[in-house]
Amino acid sequence: MCRWMAWLGQDVPLEELLFKTQHGLIDQSLHARMGAETTNGDGFGVGWYGSGPGPAVYHSVSPAWGDPNLRELAAHIAAPLFLAHVRATSGTAVQQTNCHPFRAGRWLFVHNGLVGGFPELHRDLVLAVEPDRFPAIQGSTDSEVLFQLALSHGLEDDPIAGVAAAIGIVEETARRHGLEPAVQASIGISDGRCLWAVRYASGAATPRTLFASADVDSLRRLHPDNPRLQRLREGDRIVVSEPLADLPGAWHEVPEDTALVVERGGGVEHRPFAPRVPAAA
């Protein structure tokens, strides 16, 4: 059901985390260990915040492990904040407009999971998107609709509240259709300054996995002989669908029904997460 990762910290070459880690996202595109599928080869994307206005994105329908352009770009682009995603489709087409991250202005959005019953709910959910935002929907995925619903209900003012509203609308729409709500949501969001992440699943389902790296002081103390960890600076943080390396104590699993706020400088705040149905909906 996809894998994703986000980096916030010092400028780092994209290849350092995508290709050069023991179990980085490129390896996960072929050998995911904690996902619903082992292979995530239905396209990929990278979004990063560099010297230009807003984020840049690179998408392809090729499998991430076999795209020579990604390897070339990743070796020459360094960024202090990026989100990357490898896709395993849950039924929608393999096409470039369905590849994450999705972008709107300064915002990037990635999603691992699904909206159960999406073909039956699709029309009503799109009609819940603000009319001015409707033309921005270019693909056919539930993920892009979630993003546009969140933007329609306050994401730019409060990303966590916007996502809570989007999922609340989806679950309420499912109930109106006589369907049991079945949202799986491991979501990453950025505006170029901060990272936000959500781990949630409807009902008693277990949500998709999500981890955050430990603080740099702890990483250095736990693994003093690891030269890559010794190069980290205070404030460097990674949020991932699954760990990039087998390093004891390096990763903290994000609890179920939790939102993360990761600020520049390395501060991480955990918040309880619950969907809500906005009155306007």
Side-chain angles (χ1 to χ4, degrees):
M1 282 297 170
C2 312
R3 304 278 82 184
W4 65 268
M5 68 151 296
W7 164 267
L8 175 61
Q10 63 179 295
D11 278 24
V12 64
L14 303 189
E15 70 169 359
E16 186 70 23
L17 296 174
L18 296 182
F19 288 95
K20 291 188 174 183
T21 46
Q22 175 191 19
H23 189 53
L25 205 64
I26 305 306
D27 181 68
Q28 290 178 30
S29 67
L30 271 171
H31 306 296
R33 296 180 291 184
M34 297 180 176
E37 295 88 14
T38 301
T39 304
N40 298 273
D42 297 322
F44 70 87
V46 182
W48 68 94
Y49 295 84
S51 58
V57 293
Y58 175 61
H59 295 135
S60 174
V61 296
S62 300
W65 67 79
D67 188 291
N69 292 318
L70 176 61
R71 185 175 290 275
E72 181 73 14
L73 288 170
H76 293 275
I77 293 174
L81 199 165
F82 70 87
L83 284 82
H85 184 280
V86 291
R87 184 172 183 247
T89 178
S90 56
T92 50
V94 178
Q95 61 192 44
Q96 190 162 316
T97 53
N98 284 344
C99 293
H100 310 216
F102 298 104
R103 176 176 62 182
R106 71 181 189 275
W107 295 91
L108 290 175
F109 179 98
V110 293
H111 171 228
N112 170 35
L114 57 82
V115 171
F118 184 63
E120 292 82 5
L121 307 180
H122 193 172
R123 178 181 178 274
D124 284 1
L125 295 179
V126 169
L127 290 175
V129 172
E130 284 184 344
D132 289 349
R133 295 192 178 278
F134 179 82
I137 301 176
Q138 299 181 359
S140 56
T141 64
D142 49 2
S143 301
E144 186 178 18
V145 173
L146 274 176
F147 183 33
Q148 291 298 332
L149 282 171
L151 286 164
S152 297
H153 293 278
L155 178 145
E156 292 175 298
D157 295 322
D158 184 337
I160 302 305
V163 171
I167 294 176
I169 291 169
V170 171
E171 292 185 336
E172 181 62 25
T173 303
R175 294 186 187 98
R176 290 204 312 268
H177 281 256
L179 301 175
E180 189 70 23
V183 174
Q184 279 279 354
S186 165
I187 289 171
I189 307 165
S190 183
D191 64 350
R193 296 186 294 269
C194 295
L195 287 172
W196 294 266
V198 169
R199 185 182 183 212
Y200 172 80
S202 300
T206 300
R208 302 291 187 239
T209 55
L210 191 63
F211 296 82
S213 62
D215 66 272
V216 171
D217 286 344
S218 296
L219 291 172
R220 289 172 174 165
R221 185 174 62 254
L222 287 167
H223 303 281
D225 298 325
N226 186 310
R228 300 183 81 243
L229 295 184
Q230 299 306 311
R231 292 198 299 269
L232 292 173
R233 298 177 186 171
E234 184 178 356
D236 291 347
R237 290 281 185 173
I238 311 172
V239 180
V240 292
S241 292
E242 57 185 81
L244 305 184
D246 298 325
L247 295 170
W251 304 97
H252 301 311
E253 185 170 12
V254 177
E256 299 178 15
D257 303 334
T258 297
L260 289 184
V261 182
V262 185
E263 298 180 344
R264 191 169 296 282
V268 178
E269 178 188 356
H270 289 67
R271 299 180 186 174
F273 178 85
R276 63 180 182 89
V277 181

